[in-house]
Amino acid sequence: MYAVLGANGRAGSETAHALIELRKPVRVVLRRPEQAEKWTKLGASVAISSIEDVPSLAAALSGASGAFLLSPPPVSGDPYKRADEIGSALAEAVRQSGLSKVVALSSVGAQHQTGTGVIATLNSLEKHLAEVAPSTTFLRPGYFVETWGEIAPAVIANGVLPSFLEPSQKIPMVSTIDVGRTAACLLSDEFSGKRIVELRGPQDWSANDVAAAFGRVLDRNVVTAFVPPGARAAVLAQEGVPAEVADALLGMYDGIANGRVEHEEGAQQRRGSVALARAVERIVRDVGEDASGLAT
C-alpha cells in the first residue's frame, strides 16, 4: 500500500490516480472527512490527518510500502518559516511510522538555498527528509503547465496570456500528469539510498509556446503580455496574495529569469510524454466544466 499526501492538489491527485491505474493499493491522506467520498469510490482507502499533527500523520503512514510527501504551497505568513516547520513535522512522522520509502515533491532549482524565492522552501524540505528513510527520492519537476490554469479564464475571454516569464525564454515545464506518473513509478521501483530525479516535459517551453498552445486549442489568436518586474507586486496584491507570500513568488520568477532554476549536476534527468497542447486542452476543458457547474 502506498500513502499519498496532497491528494486534492495537482501533483498529489495525479500521483494517486496513477497508482490506482497501476492497480496499486492507495491510502490518501486528507485534511477533511468530506473530501473522502470521491477517493473511496475509486477504491482508495482514506486517512484523515494534517501535516502539523505528527502522531496522526505517523499513523496514516504506518504500514505503507512507500509514501508521496509534499509541502503545500504557502498561502499566508512567512513561507520559509512555515516550510521549516512542515519539513520538521514530516520528518518526525516518517521516523515514527518506520516508513522505508519516500518520494518527496521538490522542484528544479531546489539545490539552491537562496536566490530562487519560494523554491528555496523546498531546499529546506529536502534537508529535513534527506536521512529519514532508507529509500529517499526527491522528485524535482519543472514549472507546472497547469499553473497557467490560474489565468486561463482571462486567456479564454480576452485572447491574452499575462506572463511573469520572459515570453521567449524556454524553461523546464511539465504537466502534472507526468509528475503523477513519474512519482508512481518511483514509488513502485526497487531503490535504496538517496537520489534526485529532475523531470521536464517532452521539451522545454516558453510563455509564447503556451500562448500558441492556447491559440490552437481555442482556435483563435492568443498573444503573450509580459508583466514587467516592477508591476508584479501590484498584480499579486490585487489578487489578494499576502505580501510575504508574494515576495517569495516573485523571487522565484527572478530566479528563473537569472537561470538559477535549472539542472543540478549529478541529478537524474527524465522527460515526460504529455504534450503542451494536451495539457492546455485539459486546462480549457476544466474551465468550461467549472463554468457549467456554476451556471447550474
Side-chain angles (χ1 to χ4, degrees), residues 162-183:
S163 174
F164 287 4
L165 301 172
E166 196 285 318
S168 63
Q169 182 186 7
K170 292 186 182 293
I171 67 168
M173 286 193 206
V174 65
S175 170
T176 53
I177 299 171
D178 278 326
V179 175
R181 289 173 177 171
T182 303

Side-chain angles (χ1 to χ4, degrees), residues 85-279:
E85 293 170 348
I86 290 175
S88 177
L90 284 172
E92 183 57 29
V94 171
R95 292 188 191 98
Q96 291 186 17
S97 69
L99 190 67
S100 62
K101 179 183 288 187
V102 165
V103 174
L105 182 67
S106 186
S107 169
V108 170
Q111 67 268 29
H112 299 298
Q113 190 171 343
T114 60
T116 58
V118 71
I119 293 175
T121 64
L122 299 171
N123 177 276
S124 172
L125 178 70
E126 290 191 10
K127 287 177 178 176
H128 279 291
L129 294 176
E131 307 295 337
V132 295
S135 175
T136 302
T137 302
F138 295 113
L139 176 57
R140 294 182 181 175
Y143 192 93
F144 289 171
V145 175
E146 285 74 11
T147 302
W148 298 98
E150 297 168 9
I151 57 169
V155 179
I156 295 168
N158 306 318
V160 176
L161 180 88
S163 174
F164 287 4
L165 301 172
E166 196 285 318
S168 63
Q169 182 186 7
K170 292 186 182 293
I171 67 168
M173 286 193 206
V174 65
S175 170
T176 53
I177 299 171
D178 278 326
V179 175
R181 289 173 177 171
T182 303
C185 289
L186 294 171
L187 282 167
S188 304
D189 71 8
E190 296 295 329
F191 173 77
S192 181
K194 187 181 88 170
R195 62 182 167 178
I196 295 168
V197 177
E198 295 176 343
L199 178 66
R200 304 173 182 231
Q203 61 193 77
D204 289 356
W205 295 306
S206 66
N208 282 341
D209 293 327
V210 176
F214 269 103
R216 288 192 295 273
V217 172
L218 297 171
D219 194 24
R220 64 175 295 186
N221 187 45
V222 175
V223 298
T224 309
F226 180 60
V227 181
R232 295 172 188 171
V235 171
L236 294 181
Q238 189 174 16
E239 294 176 356
V241 180
E244 287 182 298
V245 175
D247 285 345
L249 293 173
L250 295 178
M252 176 187 70
Y253 287 100
D254 289 341
I256 292 172
N258 296 334
R260 286 181 68 78
V261 183
E262 255 298 346
H263 168 65
E264 179 179 11
E265 195 66 33
Q268 291 185 26
Q269 293 195 64
R270 301 191 184 188
R271 286 198 178 270
S273 61
V274 177
L276 180 59
R278 180 185 169 195

